[in-house]
Amino acid sequence: AQSVTQLDSQVPVFEEAPVELRCNYSSSVSVYLFWYVQYPNQGLQLLLKYLSGSTLVKGINGFEAEFNKSQTSFHLRKPSVHISDTAEYFCAVRRAAGNKLTFGGGTRVLVKP
Amino acid sequence: DGGITQSPKYLFRKEGQNVTLSCEQNLNHDAMYWYRQDPGQGLRLIYYSQIVNDFQKGDIAEGYSVSREKKESFPLTVTSAQKNPTAFYLCASTGGAPVGTGELFFGEGSRLTVL
């Protein structure tokens, strides 16, 4: 079975500064990888996904992530954050041939003015 | 607009009572999922269904039950056997064949509080 570890439970960051959210996964087979964002008391919204091809994936709201197979990582980055990026971010993995998504524990981002 | 509708958004229940959370989608998706979210624990899979009249247990199915009589509906019942039911419950769906690229579309969630 696959698993996902988000190494930081909370990340405080100043407005207009860069942010990186770390995600590592474990799986013995090919996987698809996802980042979701959740605003308070709402459902999750897809930021970006890696299925195959280029290891650098660009998503919505200026986010990007890089798939590193040798390090089994899929870290999320944004070069300059806004107050509106304050939210919880979830990394998730699914076996390419599977049908269940496994989520990490989440990283809460707090953007300070 | 297409999407997933969960109701109610907030629900209070006394101990020993069963409660049913509704999830309806008009995305024409085959697969539907129920997740439970607790602070600091991410999302944990309760049940999922890949097709009408069929469903499978997820990682934390004990104390829950589901049905899938229609493609667009996947209600979740939290029974009195669930020892710690207070949580935020999220319904999701995905389409494609067999389950597409696995991207899940989520509802807005239902927050259940047991008094």
Side-chain angles (χ1 to χ4, degrees):
Chain A
Q2 64 269 21
S3 66
V4 181
T5 302
Q6 292 184 241
L7 297 164
D8 305 296
S9 59
Q10 293 190 61
V11 173
V13 58
F14 286 105
E15 192 174 17
E16 298 183 4
V19 70
E20 178 179 81
L21 308 184
R22 297 178 293 169
C23 172
N24 286 89
Y25 69 93
S26 66
S27 177
S28 57
V29 298
S30 295
V31 295
Y32 296 152
L33 294 154
F34 305 82
W35 274 100
Y36 284 85
V37 60
Q38 183 182 34
Y39 300 102
N41 291 312
Q42 293 187 23
L44 277 67
Q45 177 185 358
L46 183 70
L47 278 177
L48 49 78
K49 61 186 176 185
Y50 172 79
L51 306 178
S52 64
S54 173
T55 57
L56 183 63
V57 180
K58 293 190 183 297
I60 63 171
N61 300 341
F63 284 94
E64 63 180 32
E66 184 150 20
F67 170 59
N68 189 319
K69 188 175 182 179
S70 62
Q71 297 187 9
T72 59
S73 67
F74 190 55
H75 300 334
L76 180 71
R77 302 184 183 94
K78 185 169 182 177
S80 176
V81 297
H82 303 293
I83 295 290
S84 59
D85 292 321
T86 293
E88 190 157 20
Y89 294 80
F90 292 94
C91 182
V93 63
R94 198 202 96 181
R95 288 187 297 120
N99 51 25
K100 294 191 294 181
L101 209 56
T102 300
F103 287 85
T107 298
R108 196 173 296 274
V109 173
L110 176 60
V111 181
K112 303 177 180 180
Chain B
D1 285 352
I4 300 177
T5 301
Q6 289 187 241
S7 63
K9 192 169 178 66
Y10 298 95
L11 185 61
F12 297 88
R13 184 195 98 175
K14 293 182 180 179
E15 282 192 23
Q17 289 181 334
N18 291 356
V19 62
T20 297
L21 308 180
S22 170
C23 178
E24 303 278 331
Q25 55 101 355
N26 60 5
L27 300 167
N28 199 33
H29 285 169
D30 287 311
M32 297 186 73
Y33 304 77
W34 274 105
Y35 285 90
R36 170 181 171 140
Q37 184 177 15
D38 297 282
Q41 295 193 47
L43 279 70
R44 292 180 291 168
L45 182 64
I46 305 172
Y47 268 98
Y48 65 103
S49 168
Q50 292 183 257
I51 197 167
V52 174
N53 292 324
D54 187 44
F55 48 83
Q56 288 79 41
K57 292 182 179 180
D59 302 317
I60 55 165
E62 185 175 350
Y64 299 98
S65 66
V66 294
S67 63
R68 188 82 187 279
E69 297 176 2
K70 299 187 295 182
K71 185 176 183 177
E72 57 271 21
S73 179
F74 191 42
L76 173 74
T77 296
V78 185
T79 75
S80 57
Q82 169 49 232
K83 297 187 187 310
N84 185 20
T86 294
F88 191 52
Y89 291 88
L90 287 160
C91 179
S93 70
T94 189
V99 287
T101 57
E103 174 185 345
L104 294 183
F105 293 81
F106 283 85
E108 294 285 291
S110 293
R111 186 168 298 281
L112 172 63
T113 303
V114 174
L115 304 173

PDB file of all heavy atoms in Angstrom, chain B residues 51-71:
ATOM      1  N   ILE B  51     -19.241   1.664  -8.899  1.00  0.00           N
ATOM      2  CA  ILE B  51     -20.363   1.475  -9.816  1.00  0.00           C
ATOM      3  C   ILE B  51     -21.628   1.301  -8.992  1.00  0.00           C
ATOM      4  O   ILE B  51     -21.565   0.931  -7.807  1.00  0.00           O
ATOM      5  CB  ILE B  51     -20.112   0.254 -10.724  1.00  0.00           C
ATOM      6  CG1 ILE B  51     -21.027   0.270 -11.939  1.00  0.00           C
ATOM      7  CG2 ILE B  51     -20.232  -1.035  -9.935  1.00  0.00           C
ATOM      8  CD1 ILE B  51     -20.608  -0.737 -13.002  1.00  0.00           C
ATOM      9  N   VAL B  52     -22.753   1.541  -9.610  1.00  0.00           N
ATOM     10  CA  VAL B  52     -24.030   1.412  -8.905  1.00  0.00           C
ATOM     11  C   VAL B  52     -24.177   0.005  -8.347  1.00  0.00           C
ATOM     12  O   VAL B  52     -23.764  -0.976  -8.963  1.00  0.00           O
ATOM     13  CB  VAL B  52     -25.186   1.740  -9.872  1.00  0.00           C
ATOM     14  CG1 VAL B  52     -26.529   1.480  -9.201  1.00  0.00           C
ATOM     15  CG2 VAL B  52     -25.112   3.185 -10.304  1.00  0.00           C
ATOM     16  N   ASN B  53     -24.760  -0.057  -7.142  1.00  0.00           N
ATOM     17  CA  ASN B  53     -25.033  -1.319  -6.454  1.00  0.00           C
ATOM     18  C   ASN B  53     -23.779  -2.077  -6.030  1.00  0.00           C
ATOM     19  O   ASN B  53     -23.846  -3.290  -5.769  1.00  0.00           O
ATOM     20  CB  ASN B  53     -25.928  -2.242  -7.306  1.00  0.00           C
ATOM     21  CG  ASN B  53     -27.334  -1.692  -7.447  1.00  0.00           C
ATOM     22  OD1 ASN B  53     -27.875  -1.099  -6.519  1.00  0.00           O
ATOM     23  ND2 ASN B  53     -27.919  -1.859  -8.623  1.00  0.00           N
ATOM     24  N   ASP B  54     -22.657  -1.378  -5.951  1.00  0.00           N
ATOM     25  CA  ASP B  54     -21.426  -2.005  -5.484  1.00  0.00           C
ATOM     26  C   ASP B  54     -20.622  -0.986  -4.694  1.00  0.00           C
ATOM     27  O   ASP B  54     -20.537   0.184  -5.091  1.00  0.00           O
ATOM     28  CB  ASP B  54     -20.593  -2.507  -6.667  1.00  0.00           C
ATOM     29  CG  ASP B  54     -19.400  -3.311  -6.195  1.00  0.00           C
ATOM     30  OD1 ASP B  54     -19.575  -4.150  -5.278  1.00  0.00           O
ATOM     31  OD2 ASP B  54     -18.298  -3.098  -6.719  1.00  0.00           O
ATOM     32  N   PHE B  55     -20.043  -1.420  -3.555  1.00  0.00           N
ATOM     33  CA  PHE B  55     -19.201  -0.523  -2.782  1.00  0.00           C
ATOM     34  C   PHE B  55     -18.213  -1.360  -1.968  1.00  0.00           C
ATOM     35  O   PHE B  55     -18.430  -2.554  -1.736  1.00  0.00           O
ATOM     36  CB  PHE B  55     -20.020   0.393  -1.869  1.00  0.00           C
ATOM     37  CG  PHE B  55     -21.070  -0.300  -1.045  1.00  0.00           C
ATOM     38  CD1 PHE B  55     -20.747  -0.924   0.150  1.00  0.00           C
ATOM     39  CD2 PHE B  55     -22.397  -0.327  -1.467  1.00  0.00           C
ATOM     40  CE1 PHE B  55     -21.716  -1.567   0.916  1.00  0.00           C
ATOM     41  CE2 PHE B  55     -23.377  -0.952  -0.709  1.00  0.00           C
ATOM     42  CZ  PHE B  55     -23.032  -1.578   0.477  1.00  0.00           C
ATOM     43  N   GLN B  56     -17.117  -0.717  -1.578  1.00  0.00           N
ATOM     44  CA  GLN B  56     -16.062  -1.398  -0.832  1.00  0.00           C
ATOM     45  C   GLN B  56     -15.703  -0.598   0.421  1.00  0.00           C
ATOM     46  O   GLN B  56     -15.800   0.626   0.428  1.00  0.00           O
ATOM     47  CB  GLN B  56     -14.789  -1.558  -1.679  1.00  0.00           C
ATOM     48  CG  GLN B  56     -14.885  -2.578  -2.793  1.00  0.00           C
ATOM     49  CD  GLN B  56     -15.615  -2.034  -4.001  1.00  0.00           C
ATOM     50  OE1 GLN B  56     -15.423  -0.894  -4.371  1.00  0.00           O
ATOM     51  NE2 GLN B  56     -16.458  -2.842  -4.598  1.00  0.00           N
ATOM     52  N   LYS B  57     -15.253  -1.315   1.431  1.00  0.00           N
ATOM     53  CA  LYS B  57     -14.780  -0.651   2.642  1.00  0.00           C
ATOM     54  C   LYS B  57     -13.443   0.033   2.380  1.00  0.00           C
ATOM     55  O   LYS B  57     -12.598  -0.486   1.652  1.00  0.00           O
ATOM     56  CB  LYS B  57     -14.613  -1.677   3.768  1.00  0.00           C
ATOM     57  CG  LYS B  57     -15.917  -2.272   4.264  1.00  0.00           C
ATOM     58  CD  LYS B  57     -15.656  -3.240   5.405  1.00  0.00           C
ATOM     59  CE  LYS B  57     -16.974  -3.823   5.910  1.00  0.00           C
ATOM     60  NZ  LYS B  57     -16.752  -4.784   7.027  1.00  0.00           N
ATOM     61  N   GLY B  58     -13.296   1.185   3.020  1.00  0.00           N
ATOM     62  CA  GLY B  58     -12.014   1.857   2.999  1.00  0.00           C
ATOM     63  C   GLY B  58     -11.210   1.493   4.238  1.00  0.00           C
ATOM     64  O   GLY B  58     -11.346   0.401   4.786  1.00  0.00           O
ATOM     65  N   ASP B  59     -10.417   2.424   4.719  1.00  0.00           N
ATOM     66  CA  ASP B  59      -9.518   2.149   5.837  1.00  0.00           C
ATOM     67  C   ASP B  59     -10.193   2.214   7.205  1.00  0.00           C
ATOM     68  O   ASP B  59      -9.690   1.644   8.170  1.00  0.00           O
ATOM     69  CB  ASP B  59      -8.346   3.140   5.801  1.00  0.00           C
ATOM     70  CG  ASP B  59      -7.591   3.061   4.492  1.00  0.00           C
ATOM     71  OD1 ASP B  59      -7.341   1.923   4.024  1.00  0.00           O
ATOM     72  OD2 ASP B  59      -7.264   4.114   3.915  1.00  0.00           O
ATOM     73  N   ILE B  60     -11.321   2.943   7.288  1.00  0.00           N
ATOM     74  CA  ILE B  60     -11.953   3.129   8.602  1.00  0.00           C
ATOM     75  C   ILE B  60     -13.461   2.943   8.497  1.00  0.00           C
ATOM     76  O   ILE B  60     -14.244   3.773   8.930  1.00  0.00           O
ATOM     77  CB  ILE B  60     -11.622   4.530   9.185  1.00  0.00           C
ATOM     78  CG1 ILE B  60     -12.020   5.644   8.205  1.00  0.00           C
ATOM     79  CG2 ILE B  60     -10.139   4.644   9.531  1.00  0.00           C
ATOM     80  CD1 ILE B  60     -12.062   7.009   8.852  1.00  0.00           C
ATOM     81  N   ALA B  61     -13.903   1.819   7.966  1.00  0.00           N
ATOM     82  CA  ALA B  61     -15.326   1.592   7.684  1.00  0.00           C
ATOM     83  C   ALA B  61     -16.155   1.239   8.922  1.00  0.00           C
ATOM     84  O   ALA B  61     -17.393   1.342   8.890  1.00  0.00           O
ATOM     85  CB  ALA B  61     -15.470   0.493   6.650  1.00  0.00           C
ATOM     86  N   GLU B  62     -15.538   0.813   9.992  1.00  0.00           N
ATOM     87  CA  GLU B  62     -16.293   0.358  11.157  1.00  0.00           C
ATOM     88  C   GLU B  62     -17.178   1.461  11.721  1.00  0.00           C
ATOM     89  O   GLU B  62     -16.720   2.572  11.983  1.00  0.00           O
ATOM     90  CB  GLU B  62     -15.349  -0.146  12.251  1.00  0.00           C
ATOM     91  CG  GLU B  62     -16.086  -0.756  13.437  1.00  0.00           C
ATOM     92  CD  GLU B  62     -15.139  -1.355  14.466  1.00  0.00           C
ATOM     93  OE1 GLU B  62     -13.935  -1.461  14.177  1.00  0.00           O
ATOM     94  OE2 GLU B  62     -15.614  -1.706  15.553  1.00  0.00           O
ATOM     95  N   GLY B  63     -18.478   1.137  11.914  1.00  0.00           N
ATOM     96  CA  GLY B  63     -19.409   2.103  12.457  1.00  0.00           C
ATOM     97  C   GLY B  63     -20.100   2.952  11.397  1.00  0.00           C
ATOM     98  O   GLY B  63     -20.877   3.847  11.735  1.00  0.00           O
ATOM     99  N   TYR B  64     -19.829   2.675  10.129  1.00  0.00           N
ATOM    100  CA  TYR B  64     -20.427   3.402   9.010  1.00  0.00           C
ATOM    101  C   TYR B  64     -21.108   2.418   8.061  1.00  0.00           C
ATOM    102  O   TYR B  64     -20.730   1.250   7.999  1.00  0.00           O
ATOM    103  CB  TYR B  64     -19.372   4.180   8.233  1.00  0.00           C
ATOM    104  CG  TYR B  64     -18.633   5.222   9.017  1.00  0.00           C
ATOM    105  CD1 TYR B  64     -17.370   4.949   9.553  1.00  0.00           C
ATOM    106  CD2 TYR B  64     -19.172   6.491   9.218  1.00  0.00           C
ATOM    107  CE1 TYR B  64     -16.673   5.902  10.281  1.00  0.00           C
ATOM    108  CE2 TYR B  64     -18.474   7.454   9.936  1.00  0.00           C
ATOM    109  CZ  TYR B  64     -17.233   7.151  10.462  1.00  0.00           C
ATOM    110  OH  TYR B  64     -16.547   8.110  11.170  1.00  0.00           O
ATOM    111  N   SER B  65     -22.097   2.924   7.315  1.00  0.00           N
ATOM    112  CA  SER B  65     -22.683   2.136   6.244  1.00  0.00           C
ATOM    113  C   SER B  65     -23.034   3.053   5.084  1.00  0.00           C
ATOM    114  O   SER B  65     -23.210   4.269   5.266  1.00  0.00           O
ATOM    115  CB  SER B  65     -23.930   1.379   6.717  1.00  0.00           C
ATOM    116  OG  SER B  65     -24.966   2.296   7.043  1.00  0.00           O
ATOM    117  N   VAL B  66     -23.091   2.480   3.874  1.00  0.00           N
ATOM    118  CA  VAL B  66     -23.404   3.252   2.673  1.00  0.00           C
ATOM    119  C   VAL B  66     -24.346   2.456   1.790  1.00  0.00           C
ATOM    120  O   VAL B  66     -24.555   1.257   1.995  1.00  0.00           O
ATOM    121  CB  VAL B  66     -22.142   3.604   1.864  1.00  0.00           C
ATOM    122  CG1 VAL B  66     -21.240   4.561   2.625  1.00  0.00           C
ATOM    123  CG2 VAL B  66     -21.399   2.333   1.458  1.00  0.00           C
ATOM    124  N   SER B  67     -24.883   3.137   0.785  1.00  0.00           N
ATOM    125  CA  SER B  67     -25.648   2.482  -0.271  1.00  0.00           C
ATOM    126  C   SER B  67     -25.356   3.209  -1.568  1.00  0.00           C
ATOM    127  O   SER B  67     -24.955   4.376  -1.562  1.00  0.00           O
ATOM    128  CB  SER B  67     -27.150   2.497   0.038  1.00  0.00           C
ATOM    129  OG  SER B  67     -27.631   3.828   0.097  1.00  0.00           O
ATOM    130  N   ARG B  68     -25.561   2.514  -2.694  1.00  0.00           N
ATOM    131  CA  ARG B  68     -25.360   3.146  -3.997  1.00  0.00           C
ATOM    132  C   ARG B  68     -26.426   2.620  -4.952  1.00  0.00           C
ATOM    133  O   ARG B  68     -26.172   1.814  -5.839  1.00  0.00           O
ATOM    134  CB  ARG B  68     -23.961   2.831  -4.527  1.00  0.00           C
ATOM    135  CG  ARG B  68     -23.616   3.612  -5.794  1.00  0.00           C
ATOM    136  CD  ARG B  68     -23.138   4.980  -5.563  1.00  0.00           C
ATOM    137  NE  ARG B  68     -22.957   5.769  -6.745  1.00  0.00           N
ATOM    138  CZ  ARG B  68     -21.899   5.732  -7.565  1.00  0.00           C
ATOM    139  NH1 ARG B  68     -20.918   4.864  -7.338  1.00  0.00           N
ATOM    140  NH2 ARG B  68     -21.825   6.536  -8.599  1.00  0.00           N
ATOM    141  N   GLU B  69     -27.620   3.096  -4.741  1.00  0.00           N
ATOM    142  CA  GLU B  69     -28.758   2.645  -5.551  1.00  0.00           C
ATOM    143  C   GLU B  69     -28.882   3.430  -6.842  1.00  0.00           C
ATOM    144  O   GLU B  69     -29.493   2.956  -7.806  1.00  0.00           O
ATOM    145  CB  GLU B  69     -30.042   2.746  -4.730  1.00  0.00           C
ATOM    146  CG  GLU B  69     -30.043   1.840  -3.493  1.00  0.00           C
ATOM    147  CD  GLU B  69     -31.286   2.019  -2.643  1.00  0.00           C
ATOM    148  OE1 GLU B  69     -32.175   2.824  -3.032  1.00  0.00           O
ATOM    149  OE2 GLU B  69     -31.378   1.363  -1.593  1.00  0.00           O
ATOM    150  N   LYS B  70     -28.333   4.627  -6.873  1.00  0.00           N
ATOM    151  CA  LYS B  70     -28.359   5.463  -8.073  1.00  0.00           C
ATOM    152  C   LYS B  70     -26.952   5.989  -8.339  1.00  0.00           C
ATOM    153  O   LYS B  70     -26.178   6.218  -7.405  1.00  0.00           O
ATOM    154  CB  LYS B  70     -29.312   6.643  -7.887  1.00  0.00           C
ATOM    155  CG  LYS B  70     -30.753   6.266  -7.646  1.00  0.00           C
ATOM    156  CD  LYS B  70     -31.653   7.499  -7.641  1.00  0.00           C
ATOM    157  CE  LYS B  70     -31.310   8.411  -6.481  1.00  0.00           C
ATOM    158  NZ  LYS B  70     -32.209   9.601  -6.436  1.00  0.00           N
ATOM    159  N   LYS B  71     -26.650   6.213  -9.580  1.00  0.00           N
ATOM    160  CA  LYS B  71     -25.308   6.675  -9.951  1.00  0.00           C
ATOM    161  C   LYS B  71     -24.978   8.002  -9.286  1.00  0.00           C
ATOM    162  O   LYS B  71     -23.843   8.252  -8.892  1.00  0.00           O
ATOM    163  CB  LYS B  71     -25.224   6.815 -11.467  1.00  0.00           C
ATOM    164  CG  LYS B  71     -23.845   7.170 -11.986  1.00  0.00           C
ATOM    165  CD  LYS B  71     -23.838   7.191 -13.512  1.00  0.00           C
ATOM    166  CE  LYS B  71     -22.442   7.464 -14.035  1.00  0.00           C
ATOM    167  NZ  LYS B  71     -22.392   7.419 -15.521  1.00  0.00           N
TER     168      LYS B  71
END
